Amino acid sequence: MADGLSSFWGPVTSTDWCEKNYVYSSYIAEFLNTLSNVPCILLALFGLINALRQRFEKRFSVLHISNMILAIGSMLYHATLQHMQQQGDETPMVWEMLLYIYILYSPDWHYKSTMPTFLFLYGAAFAVAHALFRFGIGFKVHYAVLCLLCIPRMYKYYIHTTDVSAKRLAKLYLATITIGSLCWLCDRLFCEKISLWYFNPQGHALWHTFMGFNSYFANTFLMFCRAQQRGWNPKVVHAMGWLPYVKIDKPKVQ
């Protein structure tokens, strides 16, 4: 939206959101949209520490790291509102979804090398194409399709999981992505009306916050399901009495 203070980064060259620009600092275009990525980084860091400490498969460490990279890219984008930084936000979004697809579908994939090879080449091709062209609505449709590809497999894991606490993780995943998407849509579609309100709820910042928790719940649920597949006797416990994580008990090697 309309600028407040003078801009350190120059004119806006990326998609602009409903938050007023440069209100608190000339170095940060959208202050709340930038700050709202911090929960995602902290949750992903906690998940990474848990994955490393209990020696989960490397795919989960990479997944948590990708969450952090995505959040940092989003911070740079909203702090600068420059096209290059927007690409640095959107390309990791696609890479992250490809990683989710791999983790969801690879356990039952009979040709072990074909899936990671195809997903890697697909991600590399998208990065090149995205650097050369502006996709606009095409990017959003593409990202939505990748998200939808994950849902059938998540549902399969859900119905085959009997643990109540694990099922609650899946429900939290669904609730956060639903509420977050509604916040995103309202911020995008009704910005002019919302801007007239005495208080702007900052729907895009809420989207970041909800999606930070959404990624964490998804990762934790997938870690539980994978631990079940490996026979590691997983259970959902809580840090500080509220933050769920997976604790495993690997069988001792004779």
Side-chain angles (χ1 to χ4, degrees):
M1 289 186 62
D3 295 350
L5 302 175
S6 59
S7 164
F8 175 82
W9 304 105
V12 173
T13 59
S14 67
T15 301
D16 201 355
W17 299 89
C18 202
E19 183 179 359
K20 290 184 178 179
N21 299 342
Y22 300 104
V23 173
Y24 302 101
S25 170
S26 59
Y27 296 98
I28 303 177
E30 296 176 336
F31 185 82
L32 294 176
N33 284 349
T34 302
L35 193 65
S36 57
N37 286 283
V38 172
C40 181
I41 296 174
L42 296 178
L43 289 167
L45 179 61
F46 179 80
L48 175 62
I49 292 171
N50 182 43
L52 292 172
R53 182 173 59 86
Q54 298 194 82
R55 297 184 179 180
F56 273 87
E57 292 166 301
K58 290 180 181 179
R59 66 186 69 183
F60 292 106
S61 297
V62 175
L63 184 58
H64 289 298
I65 291 171
S66 74
N67 292 156
M68 286 189 279
I69 291 173
L70 178 56
I72 293 170
S74 180
M75 292 182 76
L76 292 173
Y77 162 36
H78 288 286
T80 63
L81 290 182
Q82 298 298 299
H83 175 62
M84 181 179 294
Q85 280 72 21
Q86 181 174 356
Q87 289 178 315
D89 174 37
E90 292 177 346
T91 299
M93 288 173 66
V94 170
W95 289 348
E96 183 183 65
M97 293 313 304
L98 296 177
L99 183 56
Y100 275 117
I101 290 172
Y102 171 74
I103 290 175
L104 283 164
Y105 287 96
S106 62
D108 294 333
W109 194 260
H110 298 293
Y111 305 99
K112 297 298 182 181
S113 63
T114 55
M115 178 178 286
T117 301
F118 171 77
L119 293 176
F120 175 82
L121 293 175
Y122 186 93
F126 174 82
V128 173
H130 195 42
L132 297 175
F133 307 103
R134 290 191 180 222
F135 290 125
I137 188 65
F139 169 80
K140 297 176 179 63
V141 173
H142 177 239
Y143 183 73
V145 169
L146 293 177
C147 292
L148 290 173
L149 288 174
C150 295
I151 292 177
R153 195 65 172 187
M154 288 288 283
Y155 180 69
K156 180 181 178 181
Y157 282 169
Y158 176 81
I159 62 177
H160 284 86
T161 300
T162 57
D163 187 272
V164 175
S165 297
K167 282 183 173 290
R168 188 178 298 116
L169 288 171
K171 292 175 182 177
L172 287 169
Y173 159 80
L174 183 61
T176 49
I177 196 171
T178 300
I179 298 172
S181 297
L182 289 173
C183 291
W184 187 93
L185 284 170
C186 289
D187 184 83
R188 198 68 189 149
L189 299 178
F190 306 114
C191 180
E192 291 186 8
K193 292 183 178 179
I194 292 174
S195 300
L196 300 176
W197 295 359
Y198 177 76
F199 172 74
N200 184 338
Q202 302 298 342
H204 197 77
L206 289 173
W207 152 262
H208 287 158
T209 303
F210 278 114
M211 291 307 293
F213 279 94
N214 174 262
S215 297
Y216 180 78
F217 292 141
N219 296 357
T220 306
F221 178 68
L222 292 175
M223 290 170 73
F224 181 93
C225 294
R226 184 58 175 165
Q228 267 193 330
Q229 293 173 344
R230 298 297 300 270
W232 291 346
N233 302 312
K235 61 179 180 178
V236 178
V237 295
H238 294 81
M240 300 172 288
W242 67 274
L243 183 62
Y245 69 96
V246 178
K247 186 175 182 180
I248 58 175
D249 182 18
K250 293 183 178 181
K252 294 182 179 180
V253 179
Q254 298 296 328

